[in-house]
Amino acid sequence: MVRHRIGLDRLAIGLSGLCLLHCIGTLLIVATMASAGGFLLAPEFHEIGLGLALAVGTVALGHGIIVHRRPLPLAIGAVGLALMATALTLDHGPGEALCTIVGVLLVAAGHQLNRRALR
């Protein structure tokens, strides 16, 4: 069962990496080709991504704290998820991108700490 949960943390770290690539890539694409930004900047795209992050984070980090009783991975991951959610309320631009990038990095760090604690 623990190996399955470690797999969820790996999945979450992978999703965080994809989100990071999307965020940085979108900034670069929008800067060079404004017409491509319509799809990549669609609110639904980001809402679905946040929904996935919340679902995987809740299961993996929640299970982790039950098993290893260390609150740090959950706390770091929760702050990251909160920053990602906050970014959805901001207008597209550098502030939103920075909020998302920092949030994604914190979520990935929380999952990495969770993986280590579960070993």
Side-chain angles (χ1 to χ4, degrees), residues 26 35 37 39 47 49 53 64 69 72 83 85 87 90-91 95-96 115:
T26 299
S35 62
F39 169 72
E47 291 164 2
R69 306 250 185 245
L72 187 61
L83 282 171
L90 303 174
D91 291 332
E96 178 229 7
R115 285 184 62 225

Side-chain angles (χ1 to χ4, degrees), residues 14-101:
L15 289 173
S16 294
L18 288 175
C19 183
L20 185 63
L21 287 174
H22 165 76
C23 191
I24 293 170
T26 299
L27 286 174
L28 294 174
I29 289 171
V30 170
T32 58
M33 300 170 50
S35 62
F39 169 72
L40 295 172
L41 294 175
E44 297 82 14
F45 193 85
H46 296 102
E47 291 164 2
I48 291 169
L50 179 61
L52 283 171
L54 287 169
V56 174
T58 299
V59 172
L61 295 172
H63 177 264
I65 197 166
I66 291 169
V67 173
H68 56 63
R69 306 250 185 245
R70 296 181 185 161
L72 187 61
L74 176 63
I76 290 173
V79 169
L81 289 169
L83 282 171
M84 290 171 63
T86 300
L88 284 179
T89 68
L90 303 174
D91 291 332
H92 290 298
E96 178 229 7
L98 181 62
C99 199
T100 302
I101 290 168

